[in-house]
Amino acid sequence: MPLGTSYAPRVATILLAGVDLFFRGKLEALLPGHHLVTTDSIDPPDLVIADIARIEPDEVADAYPDCPILGYANHSDTAGLRRAHAAGFDQIVVKAALAERVPQIVEELTA
């Protein structure tokens, strides 16, 4: 690649389902350049990030069948993690791991 040229990273529209305001702020800081929206947005998402404790996994999976879904929950919410797995979420992580790895996970799921 010639000096002075670069490729812009892909900007994804990421729908946040059930994500609380505090964690949304954290995700916005960790995902600069991406377009974060809520369920009232008209923009079709490239990825859904869902707080498993605050949504019904089956409803999210049914609402976005053609979109990768990343679910997260506290490590102690094993029942919620199982429900998200059964609903067919593409990736499920504990909340602490999401905060550490969200840029890489988003890149993998939207590639």
Side-chain angles (χ1 to χ4, degrees), residues 3-49:
L3 192 63
T5 61
S6 64
Y7 295 98
R10 184 176 183 283
V11 174
T13 297
I14 302 171
L15 180 113
L16 303 178
V19 176
D20 68 61
L21 208 52
F22 175 76
F23 201 64
R24 178 193 172 111
K26 186 178 262 191
L27 290 173
E28 287 174 341
L30 293 168
L31 297 168
H34 290 291
H35 182 54
L36 277 60
V37 298
T38 56
T39 53
D40 57 356
S41 172
I42 60 169
D43 297 326
D46 299 306
L47 171 69
V48 175
I49 297 179

